[in-house]
Amino acid sequence: MADAQVLVVGVGACEGAPLEEVLGLVRDAVGEAGFTEGAVAELATVDVKAGEPGIVGAAARLGVPLVAYPAAELAEVTVPNPSARSSAAVGTPSVAEAAALRGGGELLVPKRKSAPVGRPPMATCAVARRDGASGGPGTGHDLRHHGDAEVRDDGADLTDLAVNVRADTPPAWLKEVIAASLDGLAAYPDGRQAREAVAARHGLTPDRVLLTSGAAEAFVLLARALKVRRPVVVHPQFTEPEAALRDAGHEVGRVLLREEDGFRLGGRAVVPEEADLVVIGNPTNPTSVLHPAASIAALARPGRILVVDEAFMDAVPGEREALAGRTDVPGLVVLRSLTKTWGLAGLRIGYVLASPDVISALAQAQPLWPVSTPALVAARACVAPRALAEAGHAAHRVAADRAHLLAGLAELAPFGVRAVGPAEGPFVLVRVPGALGVRDRLRARGRG
């Protein structure tokens, strides 16, 4: 099914800018926004550039209309990156950003320039989502689509790699512990001991811990229980936090980390000062980037909630760069999941670490007995010293296996295959030419 056309791409170009330079820039920017080119509804520019062959050709190649605005109209649009040089040249401080936003909407990718080899750039573009278009089903990409959907029905004979769980889990000893808890199912769950165990594991008091039905429930609680006005999600990122925020009625801003910056904080992507809730993953799914703890802590501000998804941190040897257990970072909320390392995706168990007032607000939004008795027993077992030692050994094995995988992928570099690095999570992000076709072929072979 074709993507819904929800994007407006603003384009500027110097005289004589090559078609391939303009088109390549547009495609890269649309991909950076998390969409395919089928989501582009129109290209937009200033009227004096409406006849530029590179821009006209790009619109034709994409099969979308080219909309041109007078410079005076674009000059009235507020943009994050105005330019005096642009104003002198064409009569408006912005072409790409202003053209993308002229019809309203949300700026997904701010102005970026082409990067030709051996000469100055000749094209700029920016990407905006049209007003009324959300990031849910039917809007170019589905924030609710997860890999488990691929292995249902006609995909039942495929292997679901999207869950990112450790092989041969749950271990036999953990299965035995969970099975033994079944004798207590007649009683309502009592989470106090599990909460105390998690608190002790991180050197915290129990009033700083909330047990949840996986990290996904925590995202929903944060979106519904906290009074925030300007939430921002740092992307690339697991899609659930943005989906939960949008479902709760929030207008969500995006900060897009760039591939040329290694998908790391500290490049040109900047978190707006007015953001009062910021969500970031560490290590980040799907880039496998491990951000320095100091870089993430630097995002904290008075009055801001800083949510750090550490679902994969226990797969990092030594859990270096972890913020779990820190009480000196204002507004810090850390989410942890026990489903990855221990293979408990079907049991649903995770937890939130935060200040007592935030924990109290989230707890009030939970239903009664939100975590089952088997999940509570598993939580206690997975934070015990024996389990922590096993998880530490597993993290080192994951690192070795990942190095082997990356070495193999490097041999495919002549064919255009490129992995994002350095990878630090139990997964890697790989750029493959013709990725959708490769995916379909692999899926077909998986059934054979």
Side-chain angles (χ1 to χ4, degrees):
M1 182 172 62
D3 284 341
Q5 293 180 306
V6 297
L7 302 182
V8 177
V9 181
V11 182
C14 299
E15 183 177 354
L19 163 61
E20 294 302 331
E21 182 172 345
V22 176
L23 184 61
L25 175 63
V26 169
R27 284 172 168 164
D28 286 347
V30 168
E32 184 176 332
F35 291 79
T36 67
E37 63 185 63
V40 178
E42 65 187 44
L43 263 56
T45 190
V46 65
D47 54 4
V48 298
K49 294 294 181 180
E52 189 63 45
I55 297 178
V56 174
R61 290 274 287 274
L62 293 169
V64 299
L66 176 61
V67 179
Y69 297 101
E73 287 189 24
L74 296 184
E76 295 177 357
V77 179
T78 301
V79 298
N81 299 294
S83 164
R85 183 176 180 181
S86 174
S87 185
V90 295
T92 172
S94 169
V95 173
E97 290 178 340
L101 291 169
R102 176 61 183 81
E106 173 191 4
L107 190 65
L108 300 181
V109 179
K111 182 179 74 174
R112 57 177 297 178
K113 299 179 180 180
S114 55
V117 178
R119 61 172 174 79
M122 298 184 70
T124 61
C125 83
V127 181
R129 181 195 285 120
R130 283 175 159 173
D131 267 335
S134 66
T139 59
H141 59 289
D142 181 1
L143 294 176
R144 290 295 191 189
H145 181 86
H146 299 296
D148 61 327
E150 300 291 333
V151 298
R152 297 173 183 164
D153 302 326
D154 65 337
D157 53 351
L158 299 174
T159 298
D160 181 11
L161 299 178
V163 293
N164 290 311
V165 299
R166 182 165 58 101
D168 300 321
T169 53
W173 65 264
L174 182 55
K175 291 181 188 178
E176 293 173 2
V177 169
I178 294 171
S181 73
L182 300 182
D183 290 337
L185 291 184
Y188 286 106
D190 183 348
R192 288 176 296 178
Q193 289 185 331
R195 192 177 184 183
E196 290 170 0
V198 170
R201 182 255 196 270
H202 293 288
L204 298 172
T205 53
D207 60 349
R208 289 180 172 271
V209 176
L210 181 70
L211 301 171
T212 60
S213 180
E217 186 202 9
F219 291 128
V220 172
L221 295 175
L222 289 165
R224 297 182 179 179
L226 302 184
K227 308 301 181 184
V228 296
R229 296 174 295 103
R230 296 293 303 276
V232 167
V233 178
V234 179
H235 282 276
Q237 169 66 298
F238 182 49
T239 56
E240 279 303 317
E242 181 172 332
L245 286 162
R246 290 187 181 279
D247 288 347
H250 295 286
E251 181 177 336
V252 184
R254 287 178 174 177
V255 173
L256 299 170
L257 304 183
R258 298 172 180 267
E259 185 176 3
E260 55 264 38
D261 296 324
F263 295 113
R264 294 181 174 277
L265 293 167
R268 285 168 287 177
V270 177
V271 174
E273 282 297 320
E274 63 270 21
D276 56 359
L277 183 144
V278 177
V279 183
I280 186 170
N282 203 35
T284 298
N285 177 6
T287 63
S288 207
V289 166
L290 183 66
H291 302 284
S295 297
I296 295 181
L299 299 176
R301 301 282 188 279
R304 171 184 288 177
I305 300 295
L306 176 59
V307 180
V308 185
D309 178 7
E310 292 189 350
F312 294 101
M313 187 61 78
D314 58 356
V316 176
E319 296 194 10
R320 64 187 193 282
E321 313 303 345
L323 287 169
R326 293 274 295 271
T327 59
D328 59 321
V329 180
L332 177 65
V333 176
V334 175
L335 309 185
R336 284 287 183 112
S337 170
L338 296 173
T339 65
K340 314 300 182 184
T341 289
W342 299 109
L344 299 176
L347 193 61
R348 313 305 307 141
I349 179 64
Y351 53 88
V352 181
L353 307 175
S355 62
D357 59 324
V358 170
I359 293 297
S360 177
L362 299 181
Q364 290 178 23
Q366 273 188 315
L368 291 173
W369 312 292
V371 181
S372 69
T373 295
L376 293 172
V377 168
R380 288 177 58 194
C382 291
V383 298
R386 169 188 173 176
L388 295 180
E390 181 175 325
H393 291 307
H396 285 284
R397 290 198 301 273
V398 166
D401 290 343
R402 184 181 60 240
H404 178 73
L405 172 62
L406 289 171
L409 290 171
E411 296 179 3
L412 300 176
F415 303 99
V417 176
R418 178 164 50 85
V420 173
E424 300 284 357
F427 45 85
V428 296
L429 178 63
V430 182
R431 185 179 290 278
V432 181
L436 291 178
V438 172
R439 174 189 180 278
D440 290 342
R441 290 193 294 273
L442 288 173
R443 197 179 200 280
R445 291 183 66 178
R447 290 202 191 97

